[in-house]
Amino acid sequence: MRIRGRTVDALVYLSFVLGAVYILGRLWLDPNGRYLTLNYQDSFNFEWILTHATELFTKGESPFFSDDVNYPLGVNLMANTSILTLALPLTPVTLWLGPGVTFVIISTLALAGTASAWYYVLSRHFGRSKLAAFVGAAFLGFAPAMMSHIAGHPNIAGQYFIPLIIAVVFRMKEPGNTWRQGIWLAVLVVLQAGINEEMLFFTAMALAVFILSYVPWRDLPGYARVMLPKCGVTLLVAGVVLAYPLYFQFAGPQHYSGLDAGVRAINLDAKSYVTFGRYSIAGDVAEASLLNKGNASEENSFFGWPLVLVMLAGAIFLWRSRLSRALAITGVVFAICSLGDVIRFNGVDRTNFHGPWKWIAELPLFDSVVPTRLALITTVCIGVGLALMVDRLIVDRLRPSTADAVKAEVPARTPEPALVGGSTDTATGLGSSGGSADAAATGSNDAPARRARDGGDAQPPAPRRSPRAALIWGVALLVALVPLFPTPQPADGRPPIPALFTNGNWRTKLPPNPVLAPLPGGWDDNIKMMRWSTETNFEVKLTGGYFLGPNDTVPEDKFAHFGPGYRDTVLFLNRVIQMRTSPNVTEADRAAIRADIRHWKATNLVMPVGYYNEKVLRETIDKLVAPDAAPAQVVDGVYLWDVRSISGNG
C-alpha cells in the first residue's frame, strides 16, 4: 500500500507539472524571445529583478537597492518585489540561459509548486483522502485568480510556502519542543517574505479570522498558553533575520508609505464572483474586461455561478461542522472586503454603497493592500472547502458504514484528521495528529461528552453508504469545475529594441559610465527602459524605469507611484507629441530641460528611431538643448544628444 500510495502521489505531482507547462507552453517555446501578452510590463520587470540579483555575485552589488534605473535616486528593491528567495538560488540559470528562462521556470514552479504543496498538506497534515486532496489542490494551483496572476505576477501565484505555514501553525497547538516548532515556522516565514510579503500578511489575516471562527471563545486562552511561546520564538528568529531588510524597506532610500489612492481603489466587481473569467474555457473576455476595468492581471474572483451555488449548498449540508463553518465565514469576510471602498456592480461604481474596507484601508500595513487581492483568501477557502466536500459528501458516502463494515468484515474508514488536526483535548480544543476533532465526534465513544462540551457543535454521525448521493455531488462538482478549466497563457514575440542596446556598441559609442535620459518619457518609455537595462547588463544607467517609489517631483507625497515623477521636460514633450509642427521654445522651456538634465546627471538624451511623431519631437529637443548641445545624431537605431556640457557629468 505504501508503494501504491507513493505512486499515486508521484502521478499527482507530475500532473501538476504538466498542467503548469500546458498553461505556459507558448512561453516555454522561446522564453528569451517571447513574453506573456496580458501583463508584459511586469514580466519585463521581473526579468530585470532576476538579472539584478546576479550582481550580488558578479559585482558585489546590494540586493536591496539599485541606481541602475531611476538614476540618480535609484530604487528600493525591498520596497518592490525582489523575490530573493528565488532569484539568488537561480542565479546560475539566469547567467547561463538568460532571465527569460528563469522567469518561465519560477512561473511554472508557482503553479505546480502551489498545487503540489496543497496536495501534500491536505493529504498528509489535514487528513483528506487522496481524491479530495487532488481536487482541492488542483483548484488551488490553477484557480482563476492563479491564472490571472501567473500573467506577470509569479510572486503572488507562487504560494507553495503558504500551505506549509498554515500546517505548521496548526501543529503548534500540539505539545512539542517550543524552539523547534517556532524555528520551523520562522524558516518558512523568512522564505515566504523573500517571495512576497503581501501573501504573508494575507495568511496572517486569514488565520486570525479562521481561528476566531473555529475555536470556541472559551478555549482561546488554552490555545494562547500553548501557541504564544512558540509564536514568540518565530518572531524572535524571523525578526533577527529580517530586521535589516525590513528596516531598509520602510526607512531606507526611496522607501514609501502605502500605495497611492488609485492602486488602493482597485477592487472587485460584486458580479465578478458569479462570472467566468477570461482565463477559463467558459469565460468571456469582453465581460471580464468590463467587470474588472480591463485589468487582466487582477481577476481574483470569477468563480462562475455554478461553483458559487455548489459551495453554498455544500456549506449548508456541512454547516454542523465547525471546520466547514469557519471556512465559509472566512471566505465570505474576505470576499466582502475585496469589494473595496466603493461597491461596484456590473461595471458601475455604486458610490452610495461602501464596503467595510473603507474603514480598514487607512490603517498601517493595510494601506499597502490592494483590496481586489483579498479574494485570494476566498480562493483558498473554496479550495480547502472543495477538499472537505469531496471527502464528506462523496468519498465517505462510497465507504461502507460502520455497521455494514462489521457485517461484511470490511474495515471502515479510519478517522482522518481534519484541517485543524486530531483528538481533542480540553486545553486546546484542537488535537494531535492521531484523529480529527470533527471526525472523532462521528461515532466515537466520547461523542456525547464532546457534544456537551462544545455546546452541541460537534459533528453529526458519519453518513451511511449512499452511492446515489455521492454521484449527485460528484456531477454537481464536475458541472461547477469543468467550465473553470484554464486556457493557455497567450504569448507573443518580443518587440524589437534599438540595436545600440543589443549589439554591445554602447561600450564604444556612448561616453564612459553613460547615463541615458530616454525621452519623451512616460509610462511606455519607463517599461522599455527595463529591457534596455537588462540587455546592457546594467552597464548603462537610465533615468527612469518601471518600479514602485515615492514621487520625486512632489517630496511631500510619500505614497508609492509607478516610475519616477513626471518632470517638466517629460510633461512638455508629452504635449508636443500631439502637435503637427514643432512649437516655439521659450527661455523658460530651455531652463527647465537644463534643470532636469542636471538633476538626472545625464550624459545623453535618447529617443528611439521610429518613435511616434519623431520628427516634431526631435526638432523640439534640438531647440531645447541648443546652443549648448549639438543636434541629435542617429546611432544604431536611436537619436542621441550629448548633453555632458549641460549636466557636467564627464
Side-chain angles (χ1 to χ4, degrees), residues 416-438:
E416 297 172 332
L419 181 64
V420 290
S423 56
T424 310
D425 62 82
T426 57
T428 64
L430 301 180
S432 66
S433 58
S436 162
D438 281 336

PDB file of all heavy atoms in Angstrom, residues 416-438:
ATOM      1  N   GLU A 416      -9.877  10.481   9.852  1.00  0.00           N
ATOM      2  CA  GLU A 416      -8.755  11.264   9.371  1.00  0.00           C
ATOM      3  C   GLU A 416      -8.747  12.630  10.038  1.00  0.00           C
ATOM      4  O   GLU A 416      -9.804  13.188  10.313  1.00  0.00           O
ATOM      5  CB  GLU A 416      -8.857  11.465   7.855  1.00  0.00           C
ATOM      6  CG  GLU A 416      -8.779  10.152   7.090  1.00  0.00           C
ATOM      7  CD  GLU A 416      -9.077  10.356   5.626  1.00  0.00           C
ATOM      8  OE1 GLU A 416      -9.830  11.299   5.307  1.00  0.00           O
ATOM      9  OE2 GLU A 416      -8.572   9.597   4.805  1.00  0.00           O
ATOM     10  N   PRO A 417      -7.577  13.170  10.293  1.00  0.00           N
ATOM     11  CA  PRO A 417      -7.527  14.491  10.900  1.00  0.00           C
ATOM     12  C   PRO A 417      -8.088  15.540   9.969  1.00  0.00           C
ATOM     13  O   PRO A 417      -7.818  15.533   8.779  1.00  0.00           O
ATOM     14  CB  PRO A 417      -6.034  14.728  11.169  1.00  0.00           C
ATOM     15  CG  PRO A 417      -5.333  13.787  10.257  1.00  0.00           C
ATOM     16  CD  PRO A 417      -6.238  12.624  10.063  1.00  0.00           C
ATOM     17  N   ALA A 418      -8.886  16.416  10.529  1.00  0.00           N
ATOM     18  CA  ALA A 418      -9.437  17.499   9.725  1.00  0.00           C
ATOM     19  C   ALA A 418      -8.415  18.603   9.603  1.00  0.00           C
ATOM     20  O   ALA A 418      -7.256  18.449   9.963  1.00  0.00           O
ATOM     21  CB  ALA A 418     -10.717  18.016  10.376  1.00  0.00           C
ATOM     22  N   LEU A 419      -8.831  19.744   9.093  1.00  0.00           N
ATOM     23  CA  LEU A 419      -7.912  20.837   8.836  1.00  0.00           C
ATOM     24  C   LEU A 419      -7.110  21.211  10.053  1.00  0.00           C
ATOM     25  O   LEU A 419      -5.955  21.581   9.960  1.00  0.00           O
ATOM     26  CB  LEU A 419      -8.705  22.057   8.349  1.00  0.00           C
ATOM     27  CG  LEU A 419      -7.884  23.295   8.015  1.00  0.00           C
ATOM     28  CD1 LEU A 419      -6.962  23.015   6.853  1.00  0.00           C
ATOM     29  CD2 LEU A 419      -8.800  24.460   7.707  1.00  0.00           C
ATOM     30  N   VAL A 420      -7.729  21.128  11.224  1.00  0.00           N
ATOM     31  CA  VAL A 420      -7.033  21.552  12.425  1.00  0.00           C
ATOM     32  C   VAL A 420      -6.559  20.384  13.270  1.00  0.00           C
ATOM     33  O   VAL A 420      -6.226  20.549  14.422  1.00  0.00           O
ATOM     34  CB  VAL A 420      -7.935  22.465  13.269  1.00  0.00           C
ATOM     35  CG1 VAL A 420      -8.110  23.778  12.592  1.00  0.00           C
ATOM     36  CG2 VAL A 420      -9.274  21.819  13.521  1.00  0.00           C
ATOM     37  N   GLY A 421      -6.516  19.192  12.759  1.00  0.00           N
ATOM     38  CA  GLY A 421      -5.865  18.104  13.452  1.00  0.00           C
ATOM     39  C   GLY A 421      -6.732  17.372  14.445  1.00  0.00           C
ATOM     40  O   GLY A 421      -7.920  17.584  14.542  1.00  0.00           O
ATOM     41  N   GLY A 422      -6.115  16.543  15.271  1.00  0.00           N
ATOM     42  CA  GLY A 422      -6.658  15.354  15.827  1.00  0.00           C
ATOM     43  C   GLY A 422      -7.462  15.363  17.075  1.00  0.00           C
ATOM     44  O   GLY A 422      -8.326  16.174  17.310  1.00  0.00           O
ATOM     45  N   SER A 423      -7.182  14.353  17.931  1.00  0.00           N
ATOM     46  CA  SER A 423      -8.034  14.065  19.071  1.00  0.00           C
ATOM     47  C   SER A 423      -8.067  15.231  20.030  1.00  0.00           C
ATOM     48  O   SER A 423      -7.052  15.700  20.489  1.00  0.00           O
ATOM     49  CB  SER A 423      -7.527  12.807  19.782  1.00  0.00           C
ATOM     50  OG  SER A 423      -6.182  12.974  20.151  1.00  0.00           O
ATOM     51  N   THR A 424      -9.262  15.650  20.349  1.00  0.00           N
ATOM     52  CA  THR A 424      -9.444  16.895  21.067  1.00  0.00           C
ATOM     53  C   THR A 424      -9.044  16.769  22.520  1.00  0.00           C
ATOM     54  O   THR A 424      -9.290  15.768  23.172  1.00  0.00           O
ATOM     55  CB  THR A 424     -10.911  17.318  20.991  1.00  0.00           C
ATOM     56  OG1 THR A 424     -11.308  17.267  19.634  1.00  0.00           O
ATOM     57  CG2 THR A 424     -11.102  18.709  21.521  1.00  0.00           C
ATOM     58  N   ASP A 425      -8.428  17.809  23.035  1.00  0.00           N
ATOM     59  CA  ASP A 425      -8.197  17.876  24.464  1.00  0.00           C
ATOM     60  C   ASP A 425      -8.803  19.158  24.995  1.00  0.00           C
ATOM     61  O   ASP A 425      -8.966  20.128  24.277  1.00  0.00           O
ATOM     62  CB  ASP A 425      -6.694  17.811  24.783  1.00  0.00           C
ATOM     63  CG  ASP A 425      -5.930  18.965  24.212  1.00  0.00           C
ATOM     64  OD1 ASP A 425      -5.920  20.051  24.842  1.00  0.00           O
ATOM     65  OD2 ASP A 425      -5.346  18.801  23.131  1.00  0.00           O
ATOM     66  N   THR A 426      -9.110  19.149  26.271  1.00  0.00           N
ATOM     67  CA  THR A 426      -9.851  20.276  26.828  1.00  0.00           C
ATOM     68  C   THR A 426      -9.034  21.533  26.911  1.00  0.00           C
ATOM     69  O   THR A 426      -9.582  22.626  26.988  1.00  0.00           O
ATOM     70  CB  THR A 426     -10.363  19.917  28.230  1.00  0.00           C
ATOM     71  OG1 THR A 426      -9.247  19.536  29.047  1.00  0.00           O
ATOM     72  CG2 THR A 426     -11.346  18.770  28.170  1.00  0.00           C
ATOM     73  N   ALA A 427      -7.720  21.411  26.862  1.00  0.00           N
ATOM     74  CA  ALA A 427      -6.891  22.616  26.975  1.00  0.00           C
ATOM     75  C   ALA A 427      -6.901  23.414  25.697  1.00  0.00           C
ATOM     76  O   ALA A 427      -6.880  24.632  25.708  1.00  0.00           O
ATOM     77  CB  ALA A 427      -5.456  22.237  27.353  1.00  0.00           C
ATOM     78  N   THR A 428      -6.907  22.719  24.558  1.00  0.00           N
ATOM     79  CA  THR A 428      -6.784  23.441  23.290  1.00  0.00           C
ATOM     80  C   THR A 428      -8.014  23.341  22.425  1.00  0.00           C
ATOM     81  O   THR A 428      -8.227  24.184  21.563  1.00  0.00           O
ATOM     82  CB  THR A 428      -5.590  22.890  22.477  1.00  0.00           C
ATOM     83  OG1 THR A 428      -5.848  21.530  22.146  1.00  0.00           O
ATOM     84  CG2 THR A 428      -4.295  22.998  23.263  1.00  0.00           C
ATOM     85  N   GLY A 429      -8.785  22.286  22.560  1.00  0.00           N
ATOM     86  CA  GLY A 429      -9.944  22.120  21.692  1.00  0.00           C
ATOM     87  C   GLY A 429      -9.574  21.534  20.354  1.00  0.00           C
ATOM     88  O   GLY A 429     -10.400  20.992  19.660  1.00  0.00           O
ATOM     89  N   LEU A 430      -8.307  21.660  19.955  1.00  0.00           N
ATOM     90  CA  LEU A 430      -7.803  21.007  18.752  1.00  0.00           C
ATOM     91  C   LEU A 430      -6.941  19.855  19.218  1.00  0.00           C
ATOM     92  O   LEU A 430      -6.492  19.800  20.343  1.00  0.00           O
ATOM     93  CB  LEU A 430      -6.992  21.976  17.899  1.00  0.00           C
ATOM     94  CG  LEU A 430      -7.753  23.217  17.444  1.00  0.00           C
ATOM     95  CD1 LEU A 430      -6.853  24.092  16.605  1.00  0.00           C
ATOM     96  CD2 LEU A 430      -9.007  22.865  16.692  1.00  0.00           C
ATOM     97  N   GLY A 431      -6.646  18.918  18.347  1.00  0.00           N
ATOM     98  CA  GLY A 431      -5.989  17.736  18.838  1.00  0.00           C
ATOM     99  C   GLY A 431      -4.676  17.441  18.196  1.00  0.00           C
ATOM    100  O   GLY A 431      -4.126  18.228  17.464  1.00  0.00           O
ATOM    101  N   SER A 432      -4.175  16.290  18.477  1.00  0.00           N
ATOM    102  CA  SER A 432      -2.944  15.816  17.882  1.00  0.00           C
ATOM    103  C   SER A 432      -3.259  15.176  16.555  1.00  0.00           C
ATOM    104  O   SER A 432      -4.394  15.091  16.128  1.00  0.00           O
ATOM    105  CB  SER A 432      -2.283  14.806  18.825  1.00  0.00           C
ATOM    106  OG  SER A 432      -3.091  13.658  18.932  1.00  0.00           O
ATOM    107  N   SER A 433      -2.223  14.681  15.902  1.00  0.00           N
ATOM    108  CA  SER A 433      -2.419  14.108  14.573  1.00  0.00           C
ATOM    109  C   SER A 433      -3.062  12.737  14.599  1.00  0.00           C
ATOM    110  O   SER A 433      -3.260  12.126  13.565  1.00  0.00           O
ATOM    111  CB  SER A 433      -1.062  14.011  13.862  1.00  0.00           C
ATOM    112  OG  SER A 433      -0.174  13.219  14.636  1.00  0.00           O
ATOM    113  N   GLY A 434      -3.388  12.266  15.760  1.00  0.00           N
ATOM    114  CA  GLY A 434      -3.934  10.918  15.845  1.00  0.00           C
ATOM    115  C   GLY A 434      -5.357  10.794  15.375  1.00  0.00           C
ATOM    116  O   GLY A 434      -5.828   9.727  15.093  1.00  0.00           O
ATOM    117  N   GLY A 435      -6.129  11.853  15.273  1.00  0.00           N
ATOM    118  CA  GLY A 435      -7.504  11.771  14.838  1.00  0.00           C
ATOM    119  C   GLY A 435      -8.118  13.121  14.784  1.00  0.00           C
ATOM    120  O   GLY A 435      -7.632  14.058  15.374  1.00  0.00           O
ATOM    121  N   SER A 436      -9.238  13.245  14.105  1.00  0.00           N
ATOM    122  CA  SER A 436      -9.846  14.538  13.857  1.00  0.00           C
ATOM    123  C   SER A 436     -10.828  14.922  14.935  1.00  0.00           C
ATOM    124  O   SER A 436     -11.607  14.110  15.403  1.00  0.00           O
ATOM    125  CB  SER A 436     -10.563  14.492  12.508  1.00  0.00           C
ATOM    126  OG  SER A 436     -11.467  15.516  12.409  1.00  0.00           O
ATOM    127  N   ALA A 437     -10.819  16.202  15.290  1.00  0.00           N
ATOM    128  CA  ALA A 437     -11.811  16.684  16.243  1.00  0.00           C
ATOM    129  C   ALA A 437     -13.199  16.522  15.667  1.00  0.00           C
ATOM    130  O   ALA A 437     -14.148  16.148  16.359  1.00  0.00           O
ATOM    131  CB  ALA A 437     -11.535  18.145  16.605  1.00  0.00           C
ATOM    132  N   ASP A 438     -13.318  16.808  14.345  1.00  0.00           N
ATOM    133  CA  ASP A 438     -14.605  16.633  13.695  1.00  0.00           C
ATOM    134  C   ASP A 438     -14.900  15.156  13.476  1.00  0.00           C
ATOM    135  O   ASP A 438     -15.982  14.639  13.744  1.00  0.00           O
ATOM    136  CB  ASP A 438     -14.636  17.374  12.362  1.00  0.00           C
ATOM    137  CG  ASP A 438     -14.865  18.848  12.558  1.00  0.00           C
ATOM    138  OD1 ASP A 438     -15.424  19.228  13.595  1.00  0.00           O
ATOM    139  OD2 ASP A 438     -14.495  19.612  11.669  1.00  0.00           O
TER     140      ASP A 438
END
